[in-house]
Amino acid sequence: MSYYKQETPTPPHTKRVGYVYDVRMKYHQDLEDPQDPHPEDPRRIYWIYNILKVAGCLDIMKNVLVTPVTDDKILRVHERQYLETLKDTEIMERATLLETQKKYDSVFLCKESQYCARMSAGGLLALCKDVVRGKLDSGLAIIRPPGHHACSAVPMGFCLLNNIAITVRDLQARKMVNKVMIVDWDVHHGNGIQEVFYSDNTVLYASLHRYDEGEFYPSSTDGGMDMVGEGEGKGYNINIPWATAGVSDGDYIYAFKKLLLPVARQFCPDLIIVASGFDAAVCDPIGECDVTPECYACMTSMLKSVSNGKLVLSLEGGYNLDAIANSALACVKPLLNIKWKAGHIPQPAIYLAYATLSEEEVNGVPQSKYKYSSNWDTSNIWNPAVEVPNCYSAQPSELGKDTVDRVLDIHKEYWTSLNM
């Protein structure tokens, strides 16, 4: 009997969900050492795309066409001098590209980089337009390079263009939306997004990230809980800065229940965009946290209860290929209204590293032939009745609870929903 057919029957669905994926975004590559893949690996988007294909999700999702974002949209967020430098990379020789990238913090460049960055931002914008117009209810943008670190004048942190900021500013300029909430669950603080919207009361930015007293990347105090916004935007910037590694499901669920959901409902956005990095996931080598795919599914489900379900997840970081694939699959299931029994492993099994295998290989290769990531617990992997913690009721750590409570106390001044 085929494990694939047994474990993943075509599910019923009631929502129209879109996705963005274009193989050309893989052309953005690190030129320094092709034999040693950069953490922001071009395969990241394919890994996610293929697990969704194998699981049958793409068959019931709409593929949204990607077009490169134009200069006028970029210039709503980024300075012209930086844009011109980025455009010049198309004609640079390898040595010049390597020299140019050294001017920035944690960035790599090739001749195709600016085109891929335009495709990344353009793909997210196209998907969000379809959601706002009512053609779709929600969606997932499988895009790269990521964007939440990109500032108005400089790229940084693997990010070239600020995909989410460009999208929000264009939607607002076209009067397609008024208020937008951005939830950033990437393990790193989205300093670029914060910079753009810090004095804006039409955009609510909430980031959950490792902080480590300002030592964790991007290594500044901008991600501190006291950074609440300025001017009209005061109170519209919410930073939940985790104190150390090892943050897990209970910490995130507590933050959502106690802080983010009450504020989101009071703010009542027209659209929610998630800066959906999966580097807080179990086994991510950079994030070193313990968020499970089930937790990502829970957070997605909770956000669906706001803004009439108009929700778009936009890929940011995440550097364990298996972890990002399984986490993305877990997020898509609630978008499609695919249910699994609470407290049980979703199907296909969430820890199985088969994202690059064809359907025939998944069906035909014995279980012992699968390649597993070194740190996954693969015991009882095919047993759908294996109990796992139900993350809706997962308890926070003492340190995590203290962090959320302190942020909550700060923002009670700005949000009446936190005083109830």
Side-chain angles (χ1 to χ4, degrees):
M1 180 180 291
S2 164
Y3 281 118
Y4 175 79
K5 292 180 180 179
Q6 179 184 18
E7 301 291 344
T8 58
T10 301
H13 66 288
T14 59
K15 294 290 183 182
R16 299 164 301 158
V17 180
Y19 73 95
V20 161
Y21 173 80
D22 193 302
V23 69
R24 289 173 291 182
M25 283 182 265
K26 293 173 65 179
Y27 298 163
H28 171 60
Q29 298 188 36
D30 182 18
L31 298 177
E32 286 198 292
D33 187 358
Q35 302 305 314
D36 181 19
H38 189 280
E40 207 287 278
D41 190 322
R43 294 175 295 173
R44 294 168 64 244
I45 56 173
Y46 176 72
W47 227 268
I48 292 173
Y49 170 84
N50 204 47
I51 199 171
L52 295 177
K53 180 180 178 182
V54 168
C57 295
L58 297 186
D59 294 336
I60 51 177
M61 297 171 71
K62 178 186 176 184
N63 182 9
V64 176
L65 181 66
V66 180
T67 55
V69 73
T70 53
D71 284 8
D72 59 316
K73 296 175 176 60
I74 295 172
L75 291 171
R76 292 195 180 104
V77 172
H78 294 282
E79 294 183 8
R80 182 174 293 277
Q81 183 177 354
Y82 167 55
L83 176 58
E84 293 304 319
T85 299
L86 188 60
K87 290 163 77 170
D88 287 346
T89 60
E90 280 194 320
I91 57 172
M92 290 181 184
E93 297 300 324
R94 182 178 185 276
T96 308
L97 285 164
L98 293 175
E99 191 63 31
T100 300
Q101 73 185 33
K102 290 178 183 177
K103 299 176 182 178
Y104 304 116
D105 177 4
S106 305
V107 168
F108 61 86
L109 296 167
C110 66
K111 289 178 180 290
E112 294 78 19
S113 292
Q114 78 108 10
Y115 178 75
C116 294
R118 288 178 184 269
M119 291 287 283
S120 187
L124 175 61
L125 178 57
L127 179 58
C128 287
K129 281 181 178 178
D130 277 2
V131 170
V132 170
R133 287 168 174 158
K135 294 181 179 180
L136 297 169
D137 294 310
S138 58
L140 171 67
I142 312 168
I143 57 176
R144 69 176 292 272
H148 75 149
H149 291 307
C151 299
S152 58
V154 292
M156 63 180 291
F158 313 161
C159 302
L160 301 183
L161 295 177
N162 200 312
N163 305 318
I164 290 177
I166 290 169
T167 294
V168 171
R169 284 300 186 224
D170 190 66
L171 294 175
Q172 290 182 324
R174 295 171 179 270
K175 301 190 184 304
M176 298 177 71
V177 296
N178 179 24
K179 297 188 295 182
V180 177
M181 182 177 185
I182 302 168
V183 177
D184 190 339
W185 65 44
D186 188 284
V187 80
H188 301 94
H189 178 240
N191 58 296
I193 297 177
Q194 176 172 297
E195 177 199 74
V196 174
F197 300 113
Y198 199 62
S199 60
D200 191 333
N201 64 1
T202 67
V203 178
L204 172 60
Y205 176 62
S207 176
L208 309 94
H209 53 271
R210 267 190 70 180
Y211 186 59
D212 299 26
E213 297 184 347
E215 295 299 316
F216 196 71
Y217 194 88
S219 307
S220 84
T221 57
D222 288 348
M225 64 178 68
D226 58 329
M227 301 294 287
V228 299
E230 63 184 10
E232 292 184 349
K234 204 165 188 179
Y236 291 84
N237 195 86
I238 302 174
N239 284 329
I240 302 175
W242 306 124
T244 185
V247 185
S248 59
D249 293 1
D251 302 309
Y252 278 78
I253 298 303
Y254 184 77
F256 266 66
K257 287 181 176 179
K258 293 293 185 179
L259 179 56
L260 296 189
L261 284 182
V263 170
R265 288 169 180 147
Q266 182 179 346
F267 182 61
C268 196
D270 303 310
L271 172 70
I272 297 177
I273 303 177
V274 178
S276 184
F278 295 118
D279 39 7
V282 175
C283 288
D284 188 275
I286 294 177
E288 299 177 311
C289 292
D290 295 312
V291 179
T292 68
E294 187 183 18
C295 183
Y296 285 115
C298 291
M299 293 189 290
T300 302
S301 295
M302 286 188 276
L303 291 175
K304 277 183 62 181
S305 68
V306 185
S307 68
N308 295 314
K310 292 186 179 296
L311 173 65
V312 174
L313 278 60
S314 179
L315 181 64
E316 292 286 349
Y319 308 105
N320 178 307
L321 297 175
D322 302 328
I324 65 171
N326 287 297
S327 298
L329 174 61
C331 289
V332 166
K333 285 191 169 188
L335 295 183
L336 289 167
N337 281 355
I338 300 172
K339 307 294 185 183
W340 58 77
K341 186 176 179 181
H344 289 71
I345 295 177
Q347 301 303 319
I350 59 177
Y351 298 127
L352 181 59
Y354 66 75
T356 58
L357 298 180
S358 67
E359 180 176 334
E360 289 73 20
E361 289 174 298
V362 171
N363 286 337
V365 178
Q367 189 173 337
S368 60
K369 297 285 185 71
Y370 284 114
K371 174 186 175 183
Y372 293 100
S373 295
S374 58
N375 294 322
W376 293 113
D377 176 9
T378 57
S379 59
N380 296 310
I381 200 162
W382 289 108
N383 184 355
V386 173
E387 291 288 338
V388 296
N390 180 358
C391 66
Y392 276 113
S393 57
Q395 297 301 304
S397 64
E398 289 186 15
L399 197 54
K401 182 178 184 299
D402 178 68
T403 297
V404 174
D405 289 346
R406 288 165 60 201
V407 176
L408 190 149
D409 286 340
I410 290 171
H411 282 274
K412 283 181 177 179
E413 177 183 349
Y414 311 107
W415 301 96
T416 58
S417 58
L418 299 179
N419 292 290
M420 297 177 181

